[in-house]
Each structure stands twice: as C-alpha cells, then as structure tokens.
Amino acid sequence: MKAIGLLGGMSWQSTLLYYQCINQEIKERLGGFHSAKIVMVSLDFHEIELLLKARQWDRVLDKLVSDARRIEAAGADFLLICTNTMHRLAPEIQARISIPLVHIADAAAEHILSKGIRQVGLLGTRFTMEEDFYKKRLMENHGIEVIVPSKDDITIVDRIIFEELCLGIVNDASRREYLRVMDQMHRQGAQGIVEGCTEIAMLVNQEHTPIQVFDSTEIHAKKAVSLALDG
C-alpha cells in the first residue's frame, strides 16, 4: 500500500471527511483491521483565510509548498490538496515537489465522464466559480462544458461556504438556497452538479435532489485509495 499525502486544514471540516472516506474505502476493499497509510499536515485555516481576503496568493503558495515538502519528506508517495480552491496553485506546487499531485478536477472529470455526462454546473467558492483554473481544466483537458451560477447566486454560495460550512454550521435555509441554484443550472442544461468545494457535501448530497451530484471530496478520496492500492 502506498502512503497518501494530505495537505489539509482548509477547512478541518472537509479534511475530516477525507480522512474518514479514505479509511472507510480501504476497509471496504481490504477488510479486517486495514486502514490507510496517511501522511498529513493540517494548516491553521484562519491564517489562510486572511491571506485569501487580501488576495496574497504568493504568501499562500509559500505556506502550501512548505507543508507539501514536509509531507513529501515524511514519506508520502503522492499528494492530495484537501480543498478545491487551493488547486488554483496546483501547478506551482507540483513544480516544487517531486511526488505526483493528484488534481481534484482531474479526478472529478474522470468520474463525470464515466457517467456519460458532458455538461455540468459548478458550485464552489467565488474563486472556483469565477476564475478559470478549475473550469478551464474541465473544459480544455476533459471536454466537459461548465455552467456557473449568476453573479448574485455566486455571492450567496460563497457566503454560505465561508460563514457557515467552514465553521461546521449546516442550515436548512442554506440547503434550500443551494438546491434552488442547482435547479437553475439544471434548467440551463447542466446534466449534473459538481460540488467543487469540499465542504458542500455537508449541506447537500444525492438524497436531497434528483439531479446527479458529484461530491468532489468523495471522488478525490476514492481516487487516492485506488492509487494507493492499484498504482
């Protein structure tokens, strides 16, 4: 079994989901007392969140690279960044480490395409929905068309992530807002919805909607298990 590197704490809520999902998947596949070999560094998200507000991406990069190197030095065979938004810096991080970085958008795209879907709606932080680093990768690398919410709905989705989900708050009214936004994108042609923020699955999952939902956290975690066991 290969050792999975996790760069987490952004937020710890979603990192907990990664740890749980990876170990549950290992248990299902191997049985017995098996658990995953994991090397993890968890950041203080308060520091990162302040840098994000100030758009100080260079300083964020320095922190992530430093901790990614710690994970590599501790023996991880490959790296997962336990957040969608920080994949904005994935190419720069990969360039500064020698182990592979498993990109969350690639894992999501592989799963989406396996379902025969070519057009999706994307939910996430404002950075993920408005900037190109995630959408462009899905479109150019995998041929998946991406729909994002309206400007006003982007504000709502982003606020709920930072003011509620990252703090562990799950609100029924917020779930209704997300379902409304998802339904709107579905009416615009989205065949499924990518939960492109690792905390969103705390709020909305497949039981809440007939629209196909792609939980990026679960997909990324299960991809890591496949790589750890199958290479």
Side-chain angles (χ1 to χ4, degrees):
M1 185 192 305
K2 293 181 179 179
I4 301 169
L6 297 180
L7 182 53
M10 302 172 282
S11 67
W12 71 261
Q13 306 283 345
S14 63
T15 307
L16 175 64
L17 298 176
Y18 268 92
Y19 189 84
Q20 183 177 46
C21 183
I22 287 170
N23 279 292
Q24 285 176 339
E25 187 71 8
I26 289 285
K27 170 71 173 178
E28 288 180 14
R29 292 184 60 167
L30 299 182
F33 293 103
H34 284 288
S35 57
K37 295 180 179 179
I38 291 175
V39 179
M40 182 169 69
V41 171
S42 185
L43 287 81
D44 180 359
F45 188 51
H46 175 76
E47 298 174 0
I48 299 297
E49 196 264 345
L50 292 177
L51 294 176
L52 290 179
K53 283 184 176 178
R55 300 296 196 272
Q56 294 183 355
W57 287 102
D58 288 346
R59 292 182 61 189
V60 175
L61 177 62
D62 288 343
K63 285 181 176 293
L64 299 190
V65 168
S66 175
D67 286 328
R69 287 173 172 168
R70 289 171 61 196
I71 292 169
E72 180 178 12
D77 292 293
F78 56 89
L79 176 67
L80 274 67
I81 304 174
C82 300
T83 167
N84 287 266
T85 299
M86 295 307 159
H87 280 76
R88 184 184 191 274
L89 302 172
E92 292 90 341
I93 295 170
Q94 179 65 91
R96 289 164 173 79
I97 58 176
S98 58
I99 58 174
L101 189 159
V102 183
H103 200 292
I104 195 168
D106 293 339
E110 179 182 327
H111 187 75
I112 291 164
L113 293 174
S114 76
K115 302 298 183 181
I117 288 177
R118 290 282 181 175
Q119 189 169 41
V120 297
L122 176 62
L123 295 177
T125 64
R126 181 180 300 277
F127 303 108
T128 301
M129 292 183 287
E130 290 186 341
E131 298 186 25
D132 284 338
F133 68 91
Y134 202 98
K135 295 180 292 185
K136 189 174 181 180
R137 195 173 186 104
L138 290 178
M139 289 188 284
E140 294 191 355
N141 291 21
H142 304 283
I144 298 172
E145 296 295 322
V146 179
I147 297 169
V148 296
S150 67
K151 184 176 180 180
D152 288 344
D153 283 341
I154 283 175
T155 297
I156 292 170
V157 170
D158 183 79
R159 179 191 61 76
I160 290 170
I161 290 170
F162 282 103
E163 295 183 8
E164 297 177 18
L165 299 180
C166 286
L167 299 174
I169 299 168
V170 178
N171 188 305
D172 286 340
S174 296
R175 179 180 294 114
R176 289 192 292 271
E177 282 288 84
Y178 267 53
L179 291 173
R180 177 188 59 77
V181 174
M182 292 165 66
D183 186 61
Q184 176 63 31
M185 290 191 290
H186 182 59
R187 289 198 299 271
Q188 292 176 260
Q191 299 167 286
I193 305 296
V194 177
E195 296 185 333
C197 172
T198 48
E199 287 85 8
I200 293 177
M202 297 164 56
L203 185 67
V204 177
N205 52 57
Q206 196 62 72
E207 71 181 47
H208 298 119
T209 176
I211 305 170
Q212 178 75 58
V213 173
F214 298 104
D215 174 2
S216 62
T217 303
E218 181 180 11
I219 292 168
H220 204 201
K222 288 185 175 181
K223 179 65 175 180
V225 171
S226 294
L227 291 172
L229 297 181
D230 305 328

